[in-house]
Amino acid sequence: MTTMTDVARAAGVSVMTVSNVLSGRRRVSPETRERVLRAVAELDYQVNLTARNLRYGRSGSIALLVPQFDHAYFGALGARVARAIADLGRQVVIEQTTASPEGELSALSLARLHMYDGAIFSVVGLREAELDRIRDSIPIVLLGEREVPARFDHVMMGNVEGARLAVRHMLDRGSRRVLIAGGQRGQDALGMSRARTLGWLRAHDEVGIQADESLILHMTQLDIAHARRAVAAAVAADPGIDGVFGVTDDVAIGALAGLRDVGRQVPEDVQVVGFDNLEIGAHIYPELTSVDPSSDWIVDNAVRLLQARMGDDPPSEAEHLVSPVRLVERGSTRD
Amino acid sequence: MTTMTDVARAAGVSVMTVSNVLSGRRRVSPETRERVLRAVAELDYQVNLTARNLRYGRSGSIALLVPQFDHAYFGALGARVARAIADLGRQVVIEQTTASPEGELSALSLARLHMYDGAIFSVVGLREAELDRIRDSIPIVLLGEREVPARFDHVMMGNVEGARLAVRHMLDRGSRRVLIAGGQRGQDALGMSRARTLGWLRAHDEVGIQADESLILHMTQLDIAHARRAVAAAVAADPGIDGVFGVTDDVAIGALAGLRDVGRQVPEDVQVVGFDNLEIGAHIYPELTSVDPSSDWIVDNAVRLLQARMGDDPPSEAEHLVSPVRLVERGSTRD
DNA sequence: GTGAAAGCGCTAACAT
DNA sequence: ATGTTAGCGCTTTCAC
């Protein structure tokens, strides 16, 4: 391992001069500079960022903590955050949180945060009490469809409104028995499933239809394969179902497959709407009507809040934002 | 920022004792231990991993460098690597290199590698000469469909064989004009596009059909939207096309949409095969026949090689592995 | 079982 | 324009 001292010796200068050449923080005469750079090249020297960071007290990089890498939504989120953060001249590093045995808040993960100048934390499986354990060691902005301690900046999707729009759209177009795949009973709007189920209820109220709670299909996992099986089974058991609101696009895509499996036509027999507006939805058949959660808006705001909190005088009040949503109408619902 | 010194003072012990309690590297009497832990809890102390790593000379975490986050294949790769690495008691951190040579090899990125104990590097846009500039500062295993300097461990997909299987499958089922969407002319098998185009050629040779080079559809970007437009245009211009091999599943999914756009039935009029066997392919309509590149095999081997290289006596010879491939037959091709 | 000193590789602050 | 000193927060080494 070559260090700055090695380079200094090779170039016949002091370490400080090498440091200055490499960081560009002080003027160095062209000849000295030249000699240093030659030594750097010759020894193939690379600065040790761990040491530099320890000295600086910051790292220049920001963490994005997501529950799963292999999920289109988080992939898109990562790409968006990376783009926004790159504009700030910083680097993004993604860490997966649920891979660790203890979960999102293992002592290690928590300590790891110190290695970053800030973090955007997509919370999913975390209870509020656990979240509360996070100290303000570094600036953190939370993303995710659940309530969080008030002291954190938080950006979430317009879950209730988005679900209301989606279900209303189907009810307005003739559906009467709209299954909510991935929904969850309960009156409060704590988690994503409950919030979207609340939107499902609201849409029924608006139209004056009694929502049938047996149409709330709870799912332990919100992936395509599970949704496919669950929806196929639900429709087989209740042939009157003429609409499916998938709480995520993955669930809705699974629903489309499940409906095919039991011989239902979309959108003639059953209309389907998803939530997330993933890119793939515009290219499958039938093309998926979906709630667009304004991902760019979410990321822009998260980055803005993080930047503010990392600045010289961080705001005293935390912001809690809800993204605007809109329905993108495609072929899985009727005109 | 509370440091170990603060904890030591609060507990009335030396920093060394605190360090020993927290790292568990030396025995500490129960009473002292208790006092230290109380102080830690009270001050809400978190070890500074940057400092610890500087001292240790290692970080306990491994980097996965991928070109893009928002790509199903790399998401799945990330999840797989995370799982495999977690079994080793380490953490994975994903960084996006943005596929540009500048992104992949920026001085910063290169220096950043020192912050990790090892790296799995999915190379795409990099020329061999540039790759050669990477020094063996830390153990690195390369992934990716291109030739790399011999001194690196490298795991790649069976590109030629996979493409051959895919195209052979369609030729055997009656297709005569098979478009290769995302292909590239040229005799050598350097990049992914060329390697798969070579497989396309081989399949024709085997069956004794003269491959028509006008069926090699070059694409600058291999995403769904581009593929959709490009394939629709190609089929409109050459109505005799009766098969499409998408060099990736994304391209094939775009092809399915493009074929719908120009009124072609899959698989009756045109058969379609992709490459990657993404999960989504099993759930869209028509379900996508695809080459399975044995992603688990690739990741297991990459992790194994990395572990060997991080061990006490790293192998002197680098390994170059090609994954076994198999065709997964689904509804986008005929029986 | 506990502590003091030294130093990981780097840079800010103070010399020259 | 360059060099010297001190120290970021931690752990290794050597003492007791």
Side-chain angles (χ1 to χ4, degrees):
Chain A
M1 185 73 157
T2 55
T3 77
M4 216 174 241
T5 314
D6 300 329
V7 177
R9 187 166 27 235
V13 295
S14 77
V15 277
M16 230 13 250
T17 304
V18 179
S19 173
N20 289 329
V21 168
L22 292 173
S23 67
R25 288 172 104 85
R26 266 160 62 173
R27 282 202 55 75
V28 177
S29 79
E31 312 88 69
T32 318
R33 196 186 140 73
E34 180 61 27
R35 246 185 321 147
V36 169
L37 287 178
R38 198 171 7 244
V40 166
E42 211 153 284
L43 298 174
D44 196 46
Y45 169 73
Q46 303 281 354
V47 245
N48 181 326
L49 287 182
T50 305
R52 175 181 279 183
N53 291 344
L54 176 59
R55 194 57 248 240
Y56 274 157
R58 26 165 249 90
S59 71
S61 62
I62 284 172
L64 172 64
L65 305 164
V66 298
Q68 298 170 316
F69 293 141
D70 55 345
H71 201 292
Y73 178 73
F74 295 116
L77 184 69
R80 281 197 172 86
V81 170
R83 211 178 305 130
I85 296 287
D87 295 343
L88 275 62
R90 294 165 169 282
Q91 188 95 3
V92 180
V93 158
I94 300 203
E95 293 202 31
Q96 185 170 263
T97 50
T98 50
S100 63
E102 302 88 9
E104 280 173 333
L105 273 190
S106 72
L108 186 64
S109 290
L110 213 61
R112 286 187 67 77
L113 289 183
H114 286 273
M115 299 185 58
Y116 305 107
D117 295 344
I120 296 177
F121 194 169
S122 178
V123 287
V124 171
L126 229 49
R127 270 178 294 262
E128 191 157 346
E130 296 175 305
L131 255 179
D132 218 36
R133 278 185 39 216
I134 302 184
R135 298 295 161 181
D136 327 65
S137 44
I138 61 164
I140 291 181
V141 173
L142 300 180
L143 299 180
E145 318 319 313
R146 32 159 310 129
E147 290 182 10
V148 302
R151 67 196 164 85
F152 288 109
D153 285 314
H154 181 211
V155 187
M156 70 190 300
M157 297 180 185
N159 292 298
V160 180
E161 174 63 8
R164 189 192 64 75
L165 277 175
V167 176
R168 180 68 194 269
H169 185 73
M170 288 186 277
L171 293 176
D172 286 348
R173 278 156 187 76
S175 290
R176 278 302 164 268
R177 293 186 62 73
V178 177
L179 183 77
I180 173 167
Q184 195 172 349
R185 287 157 215 248
Q187 48 281 69
D188 40 60
L190 270 178
M192 179 264 269
S193 285
R194 283 199 183 173
R196 296 185 186 173
T197 303
L198 191 59
W200 173 85
L201 275 168
R202 291 248 174 99
H204 284 79
D205 287 349
E206 283 179 6
V207 180
I209 297 177
Q210 174 69 31
D212 179 352
E213 292 223 335
S214 75
L215 292 171
I216 300 176
L217 176 61
H218 183 65
M219 293 173 47
T220 48
Q221 285 194 58
L222 301 180
D223 59 80
I224 304 180
H226 278 85
R228 181 178 192 160
R229 282 196 294 274
V231 169
V235 173
D238 182 350
I241 288 171
D242 55 6
V244 178
F245 170 49
V247 294
T248 67
D249 271 5
D250 271 1
V251 171
I253 290 170
L256 290 175
L259 289 166
R260 269 199 307 277
D261 294 342
V262 293
R264 290 300 194 291
Q265 292 294 322
V266 176
E268 292 80 5
D269 304 334
V270 182
Q271 302 189 83
V272 176
V273 180
F275 199 123
D276 278 346
N277 195 26
L278 298 180
E279 202 215 341
I280 184 89
H283 300 293
I284 58 175
Y285 182 79
E287 298 183 359
L288 184 65
T289 295
S290 185
V291 177
D292 186 309
S294 307
S295 301
D296 283 329
W297 186 96
I298 291 173
V299 169
D300 289 348
N301 276 284
V303 170
R304 177 181 63 75
L305 291 172
L306 189 61
Q307 206 176 356
R309 202 151 288 284
M310 294 191 313
D312 289 330
D313 52 356
S316 52
E317 292 283 301
E319 284 189 44
H320 295 262
L321 304 176
V322 175
S323 81
V325 294
R326 71 194 169 87
L327 192 71
V328 179
E329 301 181 26
R330 299 205 188 89
S332 65
T333 51
R334 300 191 279 267
D335 286 327
Chain B
M1 185 74 155
T2 53
T3 76
M4 215 173 240
T5 315
D6 300 329
V7 177
R9 188 167 25 235
V13 295
S14 76
V15 277
M16 240 359 266
T17 304
V18 179
S19 172
N20 289 330
V21 169
L22 293 172
S23 67
R25 287 174 106 84
R26 266 161 62 173
R27 284 203 57 75
V28 177
S29 78
E31 311 89 69
T32 319
R33 197 186 140 72
E34 181 61 29
R35 243 177 331 136
V36 169
L37 288 178
R38 196 169 9 244
V40 165
E42 213 153 282
L43 298 175
D44 195 47
Y45 169 75
Q46 302 281 353
V47 245
N48 181 327
L49 287 181
T50 305
R52 175 182 279 182
N53 291 344
L54 175 59
R55 196 58 250 234
Y56 272 158
R58 27 166 248 88
S59 70
S61 62
I62 285 172
L64 172 64
L65 304 166
V66 299
Q68 298 169 316
F69 293 141
D70 55 345
H71 201 291
Y73 178 72
F74 295 115
L77 185 68
R80 282 197 173 85
V81 170
R83 210 177 307 129
I85 295 288
D87 295 343
L88 274 64
R90 294 165 171 282
Q91 187 92 4
V92 181
V93 158
I94 300 201
E95 293 204 31
Q96 183 169 253
T97 55
T98 62
S100 67
E102 306 82 42
E104 275 174 339
L105 270 192
S106 73
L108 187 65
S109 288
L110 213 60
R112 287 187 67 77
L113 287 184
H114 286 272
M115 300 184 57
Y116 305 107
D117 295 345
I120 296 178
F121 193 169
S122 178
V123 287
V124 171
L126 228 49
R127 269 179 295 262
E128 190 157 345
E130 297 173 305
L131 254 180
D132 219 34
R133 277 185 40 216
I134 303 182
R135 298 295 161 180
D136 329 65
S137 44
I138 60 163
I140 290 180
V141 173
L142 300 180
L143 300 180
E145 317 320 313
R146 33 160 309 127
E147 290 183 10
V148 302
R151 66 195 165 85
F152 288 109
D153 285 314
H154 181 212
V155 187
M156 71 190 298
M157 298 179 185
N159 291 297
V160 180
E161 173 63 8
R164 189 192 65 75
L165 277 176
V167 175
R168 180 68 195 269
H169 185 72
M170 288 186 277
L171 293 175
D172 285 349
R173 279 154 187 76
S175 291
R176 278 303 164 266
R177 292 186 61 73
V178 177
L179 183 77
I180 172 166
Q184 195 173 350
R185 287 156 214 247
Q187 49 279 72
D188 40 58
L190 269 177
M192 179 265 269
S193 285
R194 284 199 183 172
R196 295 184 187 175
T197 303
L198 191 58
W200 173 85
L201 274 168
R202 291 247 174 98
H204 285 80
D205 286 349
E206 283 178 6
V207 180
I209 297 177
Q210 174 70 30
D212 179 352
E213 292 222 336
S214 75
L215 290 172
I216 300 176
L217 176 62
H218 182 65
M219 292 174 47
T220 48
Q221 285 195 58
L222 300 180
D223 59 79
I224 304 179
H226 279 84
R228 181 177 193 161
R229 282 195 295 274
V231 169
V235 172
D238 182 348
I241 289 171
D242 56 4
V244 178
F245 170 49
V247 294
T248 67
D249 272 4
D250 271 1
V251 171
I253 290 170
L256 290 175
L259 289 166
R260 269 199 307 276
D261 294 341
V262 294
R264 290 298 194 292
Q265 291 293 323
V266 176
E268 293 79 5
D269 305 333
V270 182
Q271 303 188 84
V272 176
V273 180
F275 198 122
D276 277 346
N277 195 25
L278 298 181
E279 202 214 342
I280 183 90
H283 301 293
I284 58 175
Y285 183 79
E287 297 182 0
L288 184 66
T289 295
S290 185
V291 176
D292 186 308
S294 308
S295 300
D296 283 329
W297 186 95
I298 291 173
V299 168
D300 288 349
N301 276 284
V303 170
R304 177 181 62 75
L305 290 172
L306 188 62
Q307 204 176 357
R309 202 150 289 283
M310 294 190 313
D312 289 330
D313 53 354
S316 52
E317 293 282 302
E319 284 189 43
H320 295 262
L321 304 176
V322 175
S323 80
V325 294
R326 70 194 169 87
L327 191 70
V328 179
E329 301 181 26
R330 298 204 188 89
S332 66
T333 50
R334 300 191 280 268
D335 285 326

